[in-house]
Amino acid sequence: MTISITNEFYELMSKVNFNVYGILDAQNQIHTLGTDSKIIGRIFEMFTQPVLLKIAEKHNYILETPESQTLYPDFIMMKDKTSKDKIAIDVKTTYIDNDNSKIKFTLGSFGSYMRNNTKNIAYEYTDFSKHYVIGFIYKRNGSAQESYQYDYKFKDMVVFPYYDVEYFIQEKYKIAGDKPGSGNTENIGSFPTNNFADLKNGNGPFSILGQDIF
């Protein structure tokens, strides 16, 4: 039986402070980050991993990351490597300009492991019984310094690169839409909404139609 991680995730993540100054080097110099979305996305992954590790340890599960960054998923939670009840967890981030902006995520390929059981995935697709997405939504801070350098004692001069962070955890099929995520790609797109609660509650079309239809 697969464990449910949702409630524990929210409880632990609520204690996380997302403010970051930058990268601290060996000479106690802070290098600021700017608003590059790839860097910010990696930061949210780094905040997420310790939370998932605590959940895994509580249930005597293993938390594993694939050897290659090109493989799905970002994190795997499992009893052991032979388990057929593995939990796939992907971390996705996106930013919005204001509270009325459309929220968009790309949720991975529908042309690889979903069609071919072993393509671009750690283990086999049929080894996983749950597929979760942890989504982070934020607003970019246009005043954030990019590639500035500060002595650590002046850290309070650093402008944080983002604000108004919101997050959710939901099964992938419940937030997926029925259109590709971008252009002519084979990426799954999230269903269109400007309401964060729709994503947190998993109000996508397949939440009614079911995972098999997805």
Side-chain angles (χ1 to χ4, degrees), residues 23-59:
I23 298 171
L24 184 67
D25 68 22
Q27 295 178 314
N28 278 332
Q29 298 294 304
I30 296 172
H31 300 263
T32 59
L33 303 174
T35 57
D36 186 291
S37 58
K38 290 182 180 179
I39 294 175
I40 292 174
R42 178 61 186 135
I43 288 170
F44 287 128
E45 283 187 28
M46 292 169 65
F47 279 123
T48 300
Q49 187 164 358
V51 168
L52 295 178
L53 184 58
K54 287 181 181 178
I55 296 172
E57 289 175 344
K58 178 181 177 180
H59 295 278

Side-chain angles (χ1 to χ4, degrees), residues 2 6 15-16 62-63 70 75 136 149 165:
T2 307
T6 301
K15 302 171 185 176
V16 174
I62 300 167
L63 184 70
T70 62
F75 300 102
F136 289 92
Q149 185 173 312
V165 178

Side-chain angles (χ1 to χ4, degrees), residues 160-179:
F160 297 130
Y162 50 77
Y163 62 100
D164 285 356
V165 178
E166 295 186 280
Y167 54 86
F168 66 86
I169 181 170
Q170 188 54 261
E171 290 187 74
K172 182 188 290 188
Y173 81 94
K174 292 184 178 180
I175 64 169
D178 57 1
K179 303 288 191 302

Side-chain angles (χ1 to χ4, degrees), residues 10 167-170 175 195-203:
Y10 283 123
Y167 54 86
F168 66 86
I169 181 170
Q170 188 54 261
I175 64 169
N195 185 352
F196 171 77
D198 282 340
L199 292 163
K200 185 173 183 179
N201 296 328
N203 293 335

